[in-house]
Amino acid sequence: MSHLINYPHIASMVFNTPLYADPTLVRAIKAVLEPRLLGRMESAPTSLGLAQSQPAVEANSNQEDRYAKSLQVFGKLAVISVHGVLVPRRGVITASCEELISYEYLRGQITAALRHELVEEIVLDFHTGGGSAMGCKEMADFIRASTQIKPITAIINFAAYSAGYFLAAACSKIICSPTGGVGSVGVIIETFEVSKWEEEVGIKYNTFYRGGHKNDCSPHEPITDQAVAEIDKRLDKAYAIFTGSVAEYRGLDVQAVIETEARLFDPEEALQLRLIDEIAPAQDAINAIAQRYKSTPTRSIRAQARAYDTACKI
């Protein structure tokens, strides 16, 4: 079953909100949205049909069953994909063939892996340019707490930028493919203004509101100094959370993280800066992890459940 999401709703997740996303991803999303928002697409529909990217299950199944059924377990490893644009809630495939995955779904998948009797280690398979800042810190902290129950290895296959790197940094270990990349430890907010275009086509919006900041960043008029000041506050806060968390997770000095200036790094540079731990092809890395568990006895489900409950109380 597909879901219909109006373009203005999608725009609200892209503009005027902090994004942990690399510039290439931001430009790609804007290239799809802007012509539609401005009515410049021939035969453009009024809404965008989006197909689910996450496995559908029976309506009477509870969430835990849903996540357990969609979990990929190979031997004693659970491999969870972190691909596409990261969003707070339930992911989809966009009309531009850009996959979305939600923090909510990732949390459910990791929880299912933590509770799985056979799983000894979790592998997060990253290929993402990042996404929403909203929910990212909470997800990263959950990953970090989960590493106390079972090891979680991030395999960069082939990109983990911005929000993607935020999550990878929280893992027990980061292995990057030889042609992969990490970084973009930064935050961006873009506004969308169409006041000049509206003037050209003869459209005028009259906005009535209460509360001095209610109309900040309106697309129908030039941005104000007041709105810019508010944007700067949000950027500073989101940036401090990102850089501080990466520094904590990776055992780095915060200033060293800030000095990356949101650059994108190849594996050799990232290894030198201690942003990753190892360079290896993804399949080789998974094979090496699997090999470690060939003769390792599996812990009982009761012991794993106790460990999980203890972590949840932290």
Side-chain angles (χ1 to χ4, degrees):
M1 182 178 68
S2 64
H3 295 272
L4 295 180
I5 299 181
N6 294 330
Y7 291 126
H9 175 67
I10 301 172
S12 71
M13 296 187 290
V14 177
F15 301 109
N16 305 334
T17 188
L19 299 176
Y20 293 145
D22 79 284
T24 301
L25 175 61
V26 174
R27 286 193 291 268
I29 296 174
K30 283 167 55 185
V32 173
L33 278 180
E34 286 178 348
R36 290 169 168 82
L37 292 171
L38 294 173
R40 291 174 179 166
M41 292 291 291
E42 292 184 8
S43 303
T46 57
S47 59
L48 177 62
L50 301 175
Q52 295 179 16
S53 68
Q54 295 157 4
V57 297
E58 297 84 354
N60 61 352
S61 296
N62 61 34
Q63 280 193 336
E64 288 186 12
D65 288 342
R66 188 183 93 198
Y67 295 131
K69 287 180 180 180
S70 61
L71 188 66
Q72 297 185 66
V73 178
F74 306 95
K76 295 181 181 180
L77 301 185
V79 180
I80 299 172
S81 297
V82 188
H83 297 169
V85 183
L86 298 167
V87 295
R89 295 282 181 92
R90 198 169 185 175
V92 295
I93 299 285
T94 72
S96 60
C97 299
E98 187 72 56
E99 185 177 0
L100 309 185
I101 187 166
S102 70
Y103 300 130
E104 177 186 52
Y105 184 77
L106 282 176
R107 188 184 185 104
Q109 286 268 283
I110 292 172
T111 298
L114 293 173
R115 291 174 172 169
H116 198 291
E117 184 175 7
L118 298 179
V119 172
E120 290 290 330
E121 184 162 339
I122 300 167
V123 172
L124 299 186
D125 173 16
F126 283 89
H127 184 61
T128 174
S132 175
M134 185 180 294
C136 187
K137 167 65 172 172
E138 294 89 333
M139 185 66 234
D141 283 346
F142 174 75
I143 291 173
R144 193 64 170 183
S146 299
T147 62
Q148 301 303 307
I149 306 169
K150 296 180 180 181
I152 301 179
T153 297
I155 294 184
I156 313 305
N157 181 33
F158 292 91
Y161 296 124
S162 215
Y165 183 72
F166 201 147
L167 302 186
C171 294
S172 310
K173 185 177 184 179
I174 303 177
I175 303 173
C176 187
S177 60
T179 58
V182 300
S184 193
V185 182
V187 59
I188 187 170
I189 292 179
E190 291 214 14
T191 63
F192 187 74
E193 192 213 321
V194 293
S195 59
K196 291 185 179 179
W197 173 77
E198 290 170 347
E199 186 177 345
E200 290 175 4
V201 298
I203 298 174
K204 178 172 175 55
Y205 284 80
N206 297 305
T207 306
F208 305 91
Y209 58 93
R210 299 293 183 274
H213 291 276
K214 196 67 176 179
N215 200 40
D216 282 356
C217 299
S218 168
H220 309 299
E221 57 189 58
I223 193 166
T224 63
D225 291 341
Q226 170 181 283
V228 170
E230 289 300 310
I231 288 172
D232 283 339
K233 287 181 185 177
R234 297 175 71 189
L235 284 172
D236 289 342
K237 182 175 182 179
Y239 189 53
I241 289 172
F242 196 171
T243 55
S245 296
V246 168
E248 178 186 349
Y249 299 152
R250 297 293 302 169
L252 300 171
D253 184 78
V254 175
Q255 187 57 37
V257 179
I258 292 172
E259 287 174 1
T260 66
E261 293 291 351
R263 284 182 55 213
L264 310 182
F265 297 100
D266 64 32
E268 288 75 17
E269 293 173 314
L271 188 62
Q272 186 175 5
L273 292 170
R274 294 166 52 202
L275 297 177
I276 64 172
D277 301 296
E278 187 180 327
I279 302 172
Q283 192 58 58
D284 290 355
I286 291 176
N287 291 345
I289 295 169
Q291 186 66 32
R292 294 203 303 267
Y293 295 102
K294 279 203 168 180
S295 59
T296 303
T298 304
R299 290 186 297 169
S300 70
I301 186 65
R302 185 174 297 174
Q304 291 186 21
R306 284 199 301 267
Y308 177 79
D309 290 339
T310 300
C312 287
K313 293 174 183 176
I314 295 176

